[in-house]
Each structure stands twice: as C-alpha cells, then as structure tokens.
Amino acid sequence: MEQNKKTIFSGIQPSGKITLGNYLGALRNWPTFQDTYNAIYSVVDEHAITVRQNPAELRRQTLELYAQLIACGLDPEKSTIFIQSHVPQHAELSWVLNCYTMFGELSRMTQFKDKSAAHADNINGGLFTYPVLMAADILLYQADLVPVGEDQRQHVELARNIAQRFNGVYGEVFAMPEAYIPPVGARVMSLSEPEKKMSKSSENENSYILVMDPPEVIMRKFKRAVTDSEGGIYRSPEKPGVSNLIEIYAAVTGESPEKVEESFSGQGYGAFKPTVGEAVVEALRPIREETERLLKDKASLETLYRQGAEKAAAMAARTLRKVHKKVGFVSR
Ligand code: ATP
Ligand code: LTN
C-alpha cells in the first residue's frame, strides 16, 4: 500500500444479479479511482444474508459479481478486490462498533424501514445492524472516500458518526470517510414503477435491466417501460418514467440530459424507447462478454479472490488490532 495515496472503499451485495442501476450508480465509476487511490472493493456477502438467500444461488452470484467487477475494468493488480466473508475482521470490528452505535440512530435508517416493510416476515437483527457492518467495512481500511449511489448516503453519514464517537473517546483511530455520489446515474429508477429505485431484489423482472441480460431481453424491457400519456420527451417530476429514460440514455451515451431532450424533442415514445434500449445494449455488451469469459476459468478466479482477501486482511488486521487495544482487550 502506498502511504501517500488516499484510500477508497466500496462494496456491492451479491443479493441478486447486478442491474443497470448498480452499474451506472456504482461499478462504472470504480475503475476511475484505481490509479490515484488505494482502491479496495468488496463483494459483501455478509450483508446479503440480511435477507434470505438461496445458498447455491448466493455462491454463484458472489462469483459472478466478482468476475463482473473485473469485467467492468477493475484490475486485481492495482485494486484490492475481495469477498467480505473471507476477511473475518469485518465481522469482528462490526461487533465492537455495534457497541458504539445507538438504537435510535439505526431506527432512523431509511433502508431499514424500506427493507423491513418489504420483508415483514424476517425483520432480523442483521437487517437492523446492517449499517454497522458497512461502517466496519469502511473504517477497517481507513477509507477517505466511499463511492456509492444516492441511496447509501445516509449509511456513510452514520459511519462518520460512529467514527467520530469512537475517536472522541479513544483518540484518532479511524479516518473520517466521505461519500462520493456520481453526478449522473446516481439514482436509476425502476422501469415499471419509476417512483422507486431500480433494485436487483425486486420481484418484478421487468422493473430492472440486468448487466447480464441478453440484448433481446433488454430491448423488450425498454419497450415495456412505463411512461405517461402526455407524449413529450423532457424531464419533469410529473414524468418520472420518461425522466428516467432520458437520464439512462444520457448516462450511457455521455451526452447531457439537456442535449438528449433537445435531440428527441417532437419524437414519440415509440421511437425513443428502443433507442434507449439499443444504447444500453451496446454499453453492457463488452461487460457481459468479458464476465462470461472470466467465469469459464474458475481456477484463475479463485487465485484472484484468495490473493485479494490476503491483501485486504493485512490492512484490516492493523486497524482491528488498534481498536482491540483501545477498548481494553488483552492482546492475542
Ligand atoms: P438490493 O436491491 O438487494 O438492496 P441494490 O440493487 O440496492 O440491492 P446494492 O448492492 O445494495 O444494490 O448496491 C450496490 C451499489 O449500487 C451501491 O453503491 C448503490 O448505491 C448502487 N445502486 C443501487 N441501486 C441503484 C440505482 N437504482 N441507481 C443508482 N445506483 C444504485
Ligand atoms: N450497503 C451498500 C453495500 C455496501 C457498501 C459497503 C458500500 C456494503 N458495505 C461499504 C460502500 C462501502 C449497498 O447496499 N449499496
């Protein structure tokens, strides 16, 4: 690890197959940091089990996601890429930080409220303390910057509060992390219910585009995307579906949303929807193909995630040792 570089950390859950929202809001931005930062990225399987997962699928999705991080341009030589459960320090620090996090703070987390409503039959302790494990992920690596989509801003804020509280008692143990929210694509909305964010754990598969969706499926989902009866191609709070399509198109083509509105003005949805679909197909094609290639070579993938976990654990162990000492645990 180079001492003069700042550290960046982010995580993504293998709780389903990744969506266009995950890609535009998070993954796509990650490779841009790997030359200028100590970049550390994790497939957070421990977070994923806060809602019930099918074990065989979780295992497959974890490997697929790991391959996708590389397919999106992360270089295991430059960045540290690992699977969360392979680095036990995350769960260990999480326990300590739980004792420095207030019940009231956790009760205010909007993701907890949303997920408790969505999984009313399984509101478990892990769902509640999810943000503490996320704080542990970030603070273990002394991360300065945390690139996430808009929905995670509140969790990063909580990680800062926990760090501040801990540092307030014990001195400068943790670096103060800051969220980095990308200027475009930070909140891709559902194609079927555009008032909600596009989510990989949605029950309705027409609501999301998966990075691994074949072109014809992507085209079909865009053609079915919910719009409105007014007909104009411009952004407005009254037109969440159309606004979302404009923003998706802008994000994948690199054009500004204003420019997109201008060039499609006067056209109907019948032409606009497939144009957005085609742009998305082309943006995702190289990632899908590279992921498929990487997944064929399980042995190489295994070498990579083992090396990643080793590198991560070396950094994490340093922070955990310090924390254990500060709180008064006898050294091992
Ligand atoms: P789940 O639906 O299971 O909660 P998710 O789709 O929200 O999962 P996460 O693994 O929780 O995905 O998030 C990975 C990253 O993707 C985070 O940085 C998150 O902010 C970002 N992200 C998730 N959904 C979107 C979205 N619709 N638009 C932009 N970014 C998103
Ligand atoms: N909670 C995040 C995933 C996540 C994460 C992290 C992101 C887990 N640990 C640490 C940034 C830093 C999510 O669901 N989007």
Side-chain angles (χ1 to χ4, degrees), residues 10-30:
S10 199
I12 182 161
Q13 300 186 71
S15 50
K17 293 174 172 283
I18 58 164
T19 67
L20 181 64
N22 300 133
Y23 176 64
L24 294 178
L27 273 185
R28 177 169 79 150
N29 306 297
W30 293 2

Side-chain angles (χ1 to χ4, degrees), residues 8 11 15 20 24 32 75 120 130 145 160 168 223-224 269 276 288 291 309:
I8 201 156
S15 50
L20 181 64
L24 294 178
T32 58
D75 176 351
Y130 175 115
L145 206 62
R160 288 170 61 88
K223 284 179 192 159
R224 286 196 188 160
Y269 298 158
V276 179
R288 177 170 48 86
T291 304

Side-chain angles (χ1 to χ4, degrees), residues 9-13 44 47 84 111 130 133-134 137-138 146-148 151-152 155:
F9 182 94
S10 199
I12 182 161
Q13 300 186 71
V44 292
H47 277 103
Q84 187 185 34
Q111 181 179 296
Y130 175 115
L133 178 58
M134 177 161 162
D137 296 342
I138 297 168
V146 183
V148 282
D151 61 306
Q152 295 298 312
H155 287 166

